Every structure is written in structure tokens, then in C-alpha cells.
Amino acid sequence: EPAMKLCQSSDHCAGGPTRIVQHAIDTIVNANFPERAGVYKAVMWKDRGELVAATGLGVSIHVSTSLYMALTWDQLVAVMAHELAHQEANHVLIGLGASAAIWVVDKATWFITPWMILSPADELLNAELERNQEIEADLLAVKYLKKAGYTKEDYLALLNWIKESVSGGGGC
């Protein structure tokens, strides 16, 4: 059985919890870009303890039931602000494009000099891109939260919770 399964209409997570996550998304959207009200959609996943939130290629924002259950309302809104920042900055598409470009360069380089494989360099380039996207999403999330009536401290509280709860205090 897979670690995560999409919530179905008969599941508890597809009812109230999905509506609450959607309300958190709408809170940020309505305060920052009301012309896109109703565009972004919450998608809930049944899981085995994974604390996950992510954006999809389309207009979906995915949340695991474990993460949903672990967050306070303010933390949920902050997570949605972060994921909406990824959506608004087109990070998914940028990441796919960059990964494809790195792959092409890696393969072209191998044909020229087969003894030089750039795989470790590929991983470093991808990691740096992801790190920069996360920082950009954090900065945008704070901006979005302020427009919705929250503070930078609310976002920092979420990051501290992540540091302590998710990564076991080993860094964020």
C-alpha cells in the first residue's frame, strides 16, 4: 500500500479538513490577489505520518492529513502562504526547466568527455536552485501574511515549529 493516498469523498479528510485548508488558501488569496479567488484548490492526502505540503503543476496545493492535524490555524495559513508563493513565482515550472537543462548539458558533456560525469554537479545545481526557491517563497509568504493581517513573527513561529517538530531540532 502506498505511503500516501489521495483522499476520496468518503474519507473524513475529504470533508471538513479539506474545507479548512481551502479556507486558509482563500484567506491568503483574497488578501493578496482577490482577482484569482477560487483558482487555487486544496488537495488532501491520507498518509502514514508524513508532514507534507507541496504545490502541483496546476493550481493545486497538496497537504498531508498528518501535517494538517499537527498545525494550528495560524501555522496552516502560514504554510498555505508559502505554497502559494511557490505557485505565484512559478517555481514548479522553473524547477522542471532547470532540471531538464541540467540533464541535457550533463548528457552532452558525457558525449564529449565520457570520463567526466557531472552527476554530483547536477545535484549541487539542483539543490542550490531549490534552496533559492525556498528562500524566495519564505520572503513572499511573509509579504502575503502581512496583507492578510499576520506578522513576520507568525511565520517565524512556523519555522521554529518546523525546526523543532519536523527535523527533530537539527536545523531548518
Side-chain angles (χ1 to χ4, degrees), residues 145-157:
L145 286 167
K146 283 185 178 182
K147 282 190 170 183
Y150 293 86
T151 66
K152 176 178 68 173
E153 287 70 27
D154 292 321
Y155 196 72
L156 291 174

Side-chain angles (χ1 to χ4, degrees), residues 21-43:
V21 172
Q22 185 66 52
H23 182 61
I25 292 169
D26 294 342
T27 297
I28 297 300
V29 170
N30 291 334
N32 289 275
F33 18 90
E35 68 280 1
R36 287 197 290 287
V39 169
Y40 293 108
K41 299 294 179 202
V43 178

Side-chain angles (χ1 to χ4, degrees), residues 67-156:
L67 181 63
Y68 166 78
M69 296 299 292
L71 298 174
T72 66
W73 169 253
D74 290 351
Q75 290 170 333
L76 178 62
V77 172
V79 169
M80 293 306 101
H82 179 88
E83 296 307 325
L84 282 164
H86 282 303
Q87 284 280 6
E88 288 295 305
N90 293 309
H91 285 165
V92 174
L93 293 175
I94 291 168
L96 287 173
S99 293
I102 291 168
W103 182 85
V104 167
V105 169
D106 184 41
K107 299 311 171 210
T109 304
W110 185 85
F111 282 116
I112 297 167
T113 55
W115 61 89
M116 289 185 62
I117 297 175
L118 297 178
S119 295
D122 294 353
E123 290 176 21
L124 289 173
L125 288 170
N126 276 327
E128 184 63 22
L129 174 67
E130 288 175 12
R131 181 176 170 270
N132 288 336
Q133 287 180 341
E134 290 302 321
I135 291 169
E136 182 181 11
D138 287 338
L139 295 172
L140 284 171
V142 170
K143 177 182 157 188
Y144 295 164
L145 286 167
K146 283 185 178 182
K147 282 190 170 183
Y150 293 86
T151 66
K152 176 178 68 173
E153 287 70 27
D154 292 321
Y155 196 72
L156 291 174

